[in-house]
Amino acid sequence: MGNRTAYYFNDYHRRVPEYYFIPYSSNYQNVCIMNDMGKDLWLILPQIIVLLTAATALVFTMFYKHRGSLIAVIIGMLAATVLTLTTLKQYHTAFSETFRIDALSQWAVLILCPSVILISLLVRDELKDTPREGTVYSLLAFSVLGSLLLAGSGDIMFLVLGLLISSLSGFALAAHPKTNAATEGALKYFVYGSVAGAVMIFGLTYWVGMTGSTLLSSLQKLSTSPYILVFGFIALLAGMGYAASIFPFHFWTPDTFEGAPVSIAAHLSVIPKIGALFALAQVMKEVPANGSISLIIAITAVLSMTYGNIVALWQNNVVRLLAYSTVAQAGYFLIAITVFKMGVLATPALVVFALAYAAMNIGAFAIVQWAGEKLDHFNGLGKVHPVSSIGMTIFLFSLVGIPPLAGFAGKFLLFGAAINNGYGWLAIAAIINSVLSLTVYLRIIIPMYSKEAAVINKPAFKTVVVWKIAVVVTVLAGIGVQWLLKYIQV
């Protein structure tokens, strides 16, 4: 149909004056552009809903309607989740291939939007009736938006924009309490983020200069420029690495987590991390086959796992312990990214582990929020609150990777992806670190059942709801992983 129309225009052009043809052709092109724009906007409707949700929460905050901000975030995130469920496995690109609607971007919505609802409930419990409570909900939504843009990036500009939105929100959230510890942590986060972001942009300019395009799909042109390819990727790893708390770009993490409210620490450990790691995976889809890049990621994975677990052994503050745990867990994510170019198992492994990680991490922080931040606060928890202690044990065992929990399912897929693609040594290193992490988490589990009970207040209803939902997801995702894999199409 399009060819016949073009022929008709050409034939018409030869028989009529030029000024008759040009306006008609221009209008036709404008109609086509408008149709394409409408289609693209429909494809990214979940992200638009998240943007509108953040703006709505901000409006409520202006009128000091903090509860309204919370309700807006809950409704908006649920709407984005439901809409994504209706379009699952329908893959497209939008805006001239600059944004991708694929397994990573869709599952980012399905993981991050429900996660931020749970985190918002924790915020409500911890920061209720504080002057800037509503602002926190809006910043949480903006942070999710940045992470969703990262997860669907098909263009370098979306990588930069997503990281910027996510980071600026995180800086403000970390500084919320205005205490010395929070200010110090937020300042470290800001300095590390600013420097790492600048390094990333500097390195990516070489990619743009060599390919003549900002599209990730143009990276194939760098197959003849391996040094530029590796240099740009290391710069990218620095930018995404600080957001994901990957060693050696993690140094802001423990101080920022300790100084921020526990609910905000839970947010920083999940939302920016998953967005940044999914963005790295999007880049790995297009990077030309290069053993050096895969080796760099694999070595970084081992260092991140090992460093995080070893340093966590020395911590007496549970928040700092979990902060170093997130550094170690980032190493497991990197296993999938190492082999992302090589095998179809990498995408399901990354998605399943991200889902498991979000559930078990938010659940663990929820219990820490009411039980206390010191290891001593967990003494005797199993005697005073046996159900809560069982929940905490489930989360920590899932982080280790003990079956049949979701953490085990995610790690099993990750190890399989590594072994199937010639990285058996990486899988062995990850298994050793899983055993080491058991030692870390037993420092919390053993006192819960072996020591005298401390004075522990009854948990708030919202906190109980959060960790119980997280328990259900952790258990069901592990047991039903085969069913879950049917909905993660590569």
Side-chain angles (χ1 to χ4, degrees), residues 151-279:
S153 295
D155 190 279
I156 287 174
M157 298 311 296
F158 267 112
L159 294 175
V160 176
L161 179 63
L163 184 63
L164 181 63
I165 295 174
S166 179
S167 298
L168 289 176
S169 303
F171 301 155
L173 288 168
H176 176 270
K178 290 187 175 180
T179 61
N180 289 337
T183 302
E184 179 186 354
L187 185 60
K188 288 182 178 179
Y189 191 14
F190 172 75
V191 171
Y192 274 101
S194 300
V195 173
V199 170
M200 184 186 80
I201 294 173
F202 175 73
L204 293 181
T205 57
Y206 283 83
W207 280 2
V208 177
M210 292 297 294
T211 62
S213 172
T214 58
L215 287 173
L216 296 182
S217 57
S218 67
L219 293 180
Q220 292 295 329
K221 298 177 182 179
L222 294 176
S223 58
T224 57
S225 305
Y227 294 109
I228 296 296
L229 177 64
V230 172
F231 176 76
F233 190 86
I234 292 174
L236 175 70
L237 188 60
M240 297 302 166
Y242 101 86
S245 299
I246 298 171
F247 177 89
F249 313 107
H250 71 284
F251 288 102
W252 61 273
T253 306
D255 291 334
T256 303
F257 279 31
E258 185 179 16
V262 176
S263 54
I264 301 304
H267 169 82
L268 295 176
S269 73
V270 173
I271 306 298
K273 179 187 291 286
I274 292 177
L277 289 163
F278 277 24

Side-chain angles (χ1 to χ4, degrees), residues 461-475:
F461 175 74
K462 297 182 186 65
T463 304
V464 173
V465 169
V466 169
W467 72 253
K468 285 188 176 180
I469 292 174
V471 165
V472 170
V473 175
T474 302
V475 174

Side-chain angles (χ1 to χ4, degrees), residues 186-446:
L187 185 60
K188 288 182 178 179
Y189 191 14
F190 172 75
V191 171
Y192 274 101
S194 300
V195 173
V199 170
M200 184 186 80
I201 294 173
F202 175 73
L204 293 181
T205 57
Y206 283 83
W207 280 2
V208 177
M210 292 297 294
T211 62
S213 172
T214 58
L215 287 173
L216 296 182
S217 57
S218 67
L219 293 180
Q220 292 295 329
K221 298 177 182 179
L222 294 176
S223 58
T224 57
S225 305
Y227 294 109
I228 296 296
L229 177 64
V230 172
F231 176 76
F233 190 86
I234 292 174
L236 175 70
L237 188 60
M240 297 302 166
Y242 101 86
S245 299
I246 298 171
F247 177 89
F249 313 107
H250 71 284
F251 288 102
W252 61 273
T253 306
D255 291 334
T256 303
F257 279 31
E258 185 179 16
V262 176
S263 54
I264 301 304
H267 169 82
L268 295 176
S269 73
V270 173
I271 306 298
K273 179 187 291 286
I274 292 177
L277 289 163
F278 277 24
L280 278 176
Q282 292 285 15
V283 174
M284 282 299 290
K285 281 184 181 180
E286 306 298 340
V287 167
N290 189 303
S292 297
I293 288 180
S294 295
L295 184 60
I296 289 170
I297 300 174
I299 293 173
T300 304
V302 173
L303 292 176
S304 195
M305 288 184 284
T306 306
Y307 178 87
N309 285 323
I310 290 176
V311 179
L313 286 169
W314 304 336
Q315 306 304 314
N316 292 318
N317 183 294
V318 181
V319 173
R320 290 184 70 90
L321 185 151
L322 291 177
Y324 283 109
S325 170
T326 67
V327 177
Q329 297 297 326
Y332 292 100
F333 279 100
L334 290 179
I335 296 174
I337 296 172
T338 300
V339 298
F340 209 83
K341 185 80 174 176
M342 308 173 193
V344 295
L345 189 58
T347 298
L350 184 60
V351 170
V352 171
F353 189 71
L355 175 62
Y357 174 82
M360 54 199 182
N361 229 52
I362 292 173
F365 273 103
I367 293 178
V368 171
Q369 181 171 298
W370 71 265
E373 299 183 19
K374 301 292 185 181
L375 280 175
D376 293 343
H377 293 154
F378 284 81
N379 291 348
L381 183 67
K383 302 174 183 178
V384 181
H385 295 286
V387 177
S388 299
S389 65
I390 291 173
M392 189 64 170
T393 303
I394 288 174
F395 297 134
L396 296 177
F397 278 168
S398 184
L399 284 166
V400 174
I402 293 178
L405 303 174
F408 167 77
K411 287 187 177 181
F412 184 80
L413 293 171
L414 290 172
F415 300 161
I419 293 171
N420 289 345
N421 292 282
Y423 280 87
W425 64 269
L426 179 57
I428 292 172
I431 292 170
I432 293 172
N433 269 283
S434 294
V435 176
L436 179 59
S437 70
L438 178 61
T439 307
V440 173
Y441 300 128
L442 285 176
R443 297 187 64 218
I444 301 174
I445 295 172
I446 290 176

Side-chain angles (χ1 to χ4, degrees), residues 50 77 112-113 116 140-149 267 271:
V50 172
M77 297 301 163
L112 298 185
C113 288
V116 87
L140 289 175
F142 276 116
S143 180
V144 171
L145 175 63
S147 296
L148 295 182
L149 294 180
H267 169 82
I271 306 298

